[in-house]
Amino acid sequence: MKIGITCYPTYGGSGAIATELGMALASRGHEVHFITYAQPFRLPHFLERVYFHEVEIVRYPLFEHSPYPLSLAAAMHEVAEREQLDILHVHYAIPHATSAWIAKEMLGDRHGLKIITTLHGTDITLVGQERSFEQITRFSIERSDGITAVSDFLRRETVTHFGINSERIEVIPNFVDLNVYDRSRFADHRNALAPEGEKLVMHISNFRSVKRVRDVVRTFDRIRRSIPARLVFVGDGPDRPEAAAEADARGLTNEDIVFLGKQDSVAELLACADLFLLPSESESFGLSALEAMASGVPVVATATGGLTEVVAEGVGGHLLPVGDVEGMAEASLTILADQASWSRYSEGAREAATAFRVEEVVPMYERYYERVLNQPSGSDMRGGAR
Ligand code: GMT
């Protein structure tokens, strides 16, 4: 198949999954065209059958803001026509599903392009529900030929908030490559990160308010009162100063907490970690938790949204109510109590991650593409007229 993929190319789970999906599809013989404003961050080097089309951002004195969704639609239209794409798979509805719809309208009936929109999270739970975006988000999702969501939770949210028929939404979970996220593969960076042999607690995110990074620091502070431990933050974003302020307020120093900033190779870092904290307010899936689990890192997270479908409670970690930093610290200490306990959780985490192996999930997308391609034009996945 010839597949176009659009995503946010910068750091973030939706861009990571879209890029990993494209690379996996190419390795399985498909031709993949990324249509984005920058090279996707997880696209490392030349790969056979993978192409990158950069969306040109138009600057003009009249435009206070460049009309990116139009530039994207123009690029999608051009690539779809020139490369004769079968599928245009967009990740994150806003504005990608809208741009895809415009591109398809421009192609007209002579081109059988099918649009698939994968819903990832705040496109449904937050941004899409902004009053000004609600109607256009619903419209663009409904007009997609296929819709997928990364968890049952997100499918339910989409049905509840946008009234979209749940039968139209296929749940295809995020995935992980267990050969990449394998702690035995990496030379040990532990000594650099925890030179005194402390327990290494890690958090990876884009530091937006939904991640509750202050709770990471609060939980860590409680852990550290009982055992020698160090916290490593990976990533960057608007709430990084919040995390630093919380650390200062608690008298935690650079010796206790390390901010590594954005990093490309999270697998190597996770390979050194003893515990992963994800105390999010809401999480439609929690890809970083899955990557931690695959690396044999037990996870302590919040029992919210899709995290309950990813983290196996009591097996690969623990799930606590949002804001329960006391409970999260206690759960962390249970896991870190001794080597036997940690090993049990670590093995449980790795085992639970096998349910999301890339080898299992990518064929789900292939089968879904086939179904969408075989459905008659102008009908949805139930065969009814639109
Ligand atoms: O939805 C967002 O705010 C951004 C998005 C991203 O690009 O990281 O995150 C969502 O998609 C990820 C990949 O499917 C999921 O792992 C995250 O749980 C989800 N974020 C939220 O639901 C807050």
Side-chain angles (χ1 to χ4, degrees):
M1 280 177 260
K2 291 186 168 200
I3 303 152
I5 293 183
T6 290
C7 61
Y8 284 106
T10 52
Y11 293 82
S14 59
I17 279 295
T19 311
E20 303 276 0
L21 174 63
M23 292 192 291
L25 289 167
S27 77
R28 293 167 69 89
H30 303 287
E31 192 176 296
V32 175
H33 295 264
F34 286 100
I35 309 167
T36 54
Y37 64 79
Q39 173 151 337
F41 73 100
R42 284 211 180 168
L43 192 61
H45 45 71
F46 168 76
L47 289 170
E48 208 177 336
R49 293 182 289 278
V50 174
Y51 303 86
F52 166 50
H53 306 266
E54 188 168 340
V55 179
E56 193 192 343
I57 308 287
V58 179
R59 313 257 176 230
Y60 184 67
L62 190 63
F63 300 154
E64 196 174 336
H65 306 286
S66 174
Y68 175 67
L70 295 185
S71 302
L72 178 60
M76 287 168 159
H77 171 255
E78 191 198 326
V79 175
E81 188 154 61
R82 186 190 302 234
E83 306 294 344
Q84 289 297 298
L85 297 183
D86 300 303
I87 298 272
L88 180 52
H89 187 174
V90 302
H91 293 257
Y92 205 89
I94 304 167
H96 303 149
T98 314
S99 300
W101 176 76
I102 296 172
K104 186 168 168 164
E105 286 291 299
M106 288 167 71
L107 287 169
D109 292 340
R110 66 193 169 5
H111 195 301
L113 180 72
K114 302 284 185 180
I115 293 167
I116 293 176
T117 298
T118 289
L119 309 170
H120 278 275
T122 49
D123 44 353
I124 294 302
T125 57
L126 210 68
V127 192
Q129 291 180 38
E130 291 269 328
R131 187 189 284 276
S132 59
F133 278 151
E134 203 180 324
Q135 297 284 1
I136 197 165
T137 304
R138 179 185 295 110
F139 172 86
S140 310
I141 294 171
E142 275 182 337
R143 290 304 170 104
S144 301
D145 299 291
I147 309 163
T148 80
V150 296
S151 61
D152 281 321
F153 159 78
L154 192 57
R155 169 159 64 179
R156 286 196 302 273
E157 287 287 294
T158 311
V159 172
T160 304
H161 294 292
F162 292 96
I164 291 171
N165 185 339
S166 76
E167 286 172 37
R168 285 208 64 206
I169 307 171
E170 186 84 356
V171 174
I172 302 184
N174 288 334
F175 56 86
V176 70
D177 186 340
L178 292 176
N179 296 317
V180 173
Y181 289 83
D182 173 359
R183 64 195 299 127
S184 68
R185 264 190 67 212
F186 296 103
D188 202 356
H189 293 315
R190 249 197 101 92
N191 289 343
L193 290 170
E196 306 300 326
E198 305 100 324
K199 295 294 175 198
L200 216 153
V201 179
M202 195 169 278
H203 171 81
I204 304 177
S205 79
N206 45 24
F207 287 66
R208 283 173 305 150
S209 62
V210 72
K211 303 292 175 183
R212 294 179 70 100
V213 287
R214 276 186 183 265
D215 281 2
V216 176
V217 177
R218 290 174 184 142
T219 305
F220 169 72
D221 189 26
R222 286 168 169 78
I223 296 172
R224 191 186 139 275
R225 283 183 217 153
S226 297
I227 53 169
R230 203 168 227 225
L231 172 61
V232 175
F233 273 116
V234 181
D236 209 341
D239 279 2
R240 180 168 161 171
E242 295 277 316
E246 187 69 35
D248 290 347
R250 289 170 180 271
L252 297 166
T253 68
N254 292 349
E255 291 296 307
D256 305 307
I257 301 187
V258 181
F259 288 90
L260 288 181
K262 288 179 180 173
Q263 299 282 329
D264 282 335
S265 183
V266 288
E268 278 181 56
L269 294 167
L270 282 168
C272 314
D274 296 307
L275 185 77
F276 189 78
L277 291 179
L278 193 61
S280 305
E281 180 86 40
S282 154
E283 205 70 65
S284 70
F285 186 89
L287 182 62
S288 58
L290 175 60
E291 291 175 340
M293 287 160 57
S295 307
V297 185
V299 172
V300 170
T302 37
T304 179
L307 275 171
T308 58
E309 298 167 42
V310 178
V311 180
E313 163 59 32
V315 177
H318 286 288
L319 294 167
L320 282 302
V322 174
D324 182 6
V325 289
E326 203 62 63
M328 285 188 268
E330 269 174 38
S332 303
L333 289 168
T334 307
I335 293 167
L336 298 171
D338 54 52
Q339 187 59 34
S341 165
W342 183 84
S343 297
R344 204 170 53 248
Y345 280 100
S346 170
E347 281 160 27
R350 173 95 178 158
E351 178 60 29
T354 59
F356 302 93
R357 287 163 65 235
V358 60
E359 295 85 352
E360 301 280 335
V361 178
V362 172
M364 292 184 195
Y365 275 112
E366 286 178 309
R367 289 193 290 273
Y368 189 64
Y369 290 168
E370 293 289 355
R371 269 170 61 199
V372 172
L373 281 172
N374 289 330
Q375 81 196 12
S377 220
S379 70
D380 63 29
M381 290 296 281
R382 289 160 301 132
R386 242 197 327 243

